[in-house]
Amino acid sequence: DTGVSQDPRHKITKRGQNVTFRCDPISEHNRLYWYRQTLGQGPEFLTYFQNEAQLEKSRLLSDRFSAERPKGSFSTLEIQRTEQGDSAMYLCASSLVGQSGEQYFGPGTRLTVT
Amino acid sequence: GIQVEQSPPDLILQEGANSTLRCNFSDSVNNLQWFHQNPWGQLINLFYIPSGTKQNGRLSATTVATERYSLLYISSSQTTDSGVYFCAVVLGGGFKTIFGAGTRLFVKA
């Protein structure tokens, strides 16, 4: 029984570069969430998918951010033209429709923009 | 928007002591979870508790939805309990999840 996995675990990039992160949810989970967490803060909601449909997006998700879940399984989060303010931990979680909605989190991808 | 406030923000305990962490929220919620974030950043599920009381070993939690608060009790604390404890709520009718700012717990040996 594997949990939520994320890849890569760490990413260092230069300002202006594009980066893409991947999240693989728990296999039977059809809900998937992305969050961003900066140092000393709680995670902030970015977006939510049910199957392949992106149903909710935060205003935090600027035009430089895009998320996809093309086949309702894994998801990708892309940041274009990275800025130093994008440095954060990016967390993914999944849950199951029809159950309690309890979310299970992956280990996160730590992004550093230099 | 909904406000989620956790108290205290920081807590230092001697090993073996008991503690109570509080989470207040300003609107009706569908779900409420408590998490422990370890030093490597992993969020570990403690309780899913939109209402009522649950216990798991030395930890227990109570949510009083009508009064919009939840409590996490840690008894006989251990050094491995150190870390940040978050409560997170899902707004009624939606899926947006709001986290509190967390309680940073340090348990001294």
Side-chain angles (χ1 to χ4, degrees):
Chain A
D1 180 23
T2 57
V4 179
S5 62
Q6 293 187 246
D7 184 70
R9 297 291 306 277
H10 302 273
K11 179 71 176 179
I12 300 174
T13 192
K14 293 186 177 180
R15 189 176 53 187
Q17 298 295 305
N18 299 343
V19 294
T20 300
F21 310 140
R22 177 178 170 126
C23 171
D24 286 87
I26 294 171
S27 60
E28 66 271 23
H29 284 189
N30 44 15
R31 289 179 173 167
L32 188 146
Y33 310 76
W34 283 100
Y35 297 84
R36 181 175 68 188
Q37 186 178 23
T38 54
L39 199 61
Q41 304 296 317
E44 297 172 293
F45 172 86
L46 292 179
T47 190
Y48 158 78
F49 290 86
Q50 182 162 313
N51 299 312
E52 64 274 13
Q54 188 173 20
L55 296 184
E56 199 154 354
K57 286 173 61 172
S58 165
R59 287 173 293 176
L60 293 173
L61 215 63
S62 75
D63 291 345
R64 295 184 299 105
F65 288 71
S66 63
E68 294 183 344
R69 195 182 183 199
K71 296 181 180 179
S73 56
F74 73 91
S75 175
T76 58
L77 178 68
E78 180 183 17
I79 309 175
Q80 296 182 328
R81 304 181 304 282
T82 53
E83 302 173 355
Q84 287 188 320
D86 297 331
S87 295
M89 175 78 91
Y90 290 84
L91 295 162
C92 175
S94 69
S95 68
L96 184 60
V97 171
Q99 297 294 319
S100 65
E102 184 172 3
Q103 295 181 38
Y104 296 85
F105 279 79
T109 294
R110 185 169 297 280
L111 173 67
T112 302
V113 182
T114 62
Chain B
I2 188 170
Q3 302 295 315
V4 181
E5 296 179 349
Q6 292 188 243
S7 60
D10 299 281
L11 186 59
I12 300 174
L13 296 176
Q14 192 67 44
E15 195 170 30
N18 302 330
S19 63
T20 301
L21 282 56
R22 187 176 181 104
C23 173
N24 291 335
F25 43 95
S26 60
D27 207 339
S28 63
V29 298
N30 277 346
N31 299 335
L32 187 146
Q33 288 186 249
W34 283 97
F35 296 93
H36 175 212
Q37 190 165 42
N38 66 21
W40 296 272
Q42 175 74 54
L43 283 162
I44 299 163
N45 290 39
L46 297 178
F47 294 101
Y48 169 80
I49 187 166
S51 63
T53 297
K54 291 185 178 180
Q55 180 156 7
N56 185 3
R58 296 181 296 104
L59 302 182
S60 63
T62 295
T63 297
V64 184
T66 54
E67 297 187 20
R68 297 181 182 170
Y69 73 87
S70 184
L71 302 174
L72 177 68
Y73 306 96
I74 304 174
S75 65
S76 304
S77 58
Q78 300 176 358
T79 56
T80 52
D81 294 332
S82 296
V84 185
Y85 289 80
F86 290 104
C87 78
V89 302
V90 177
L91 304 182
F95 307 102
K96 183 175 181 179
T97 305
I98 307 297
F99 277 74
T103 291
R104 284 152 191 78
L105 173 64
F106 179 67
V107 181
K108 299 187 296 184

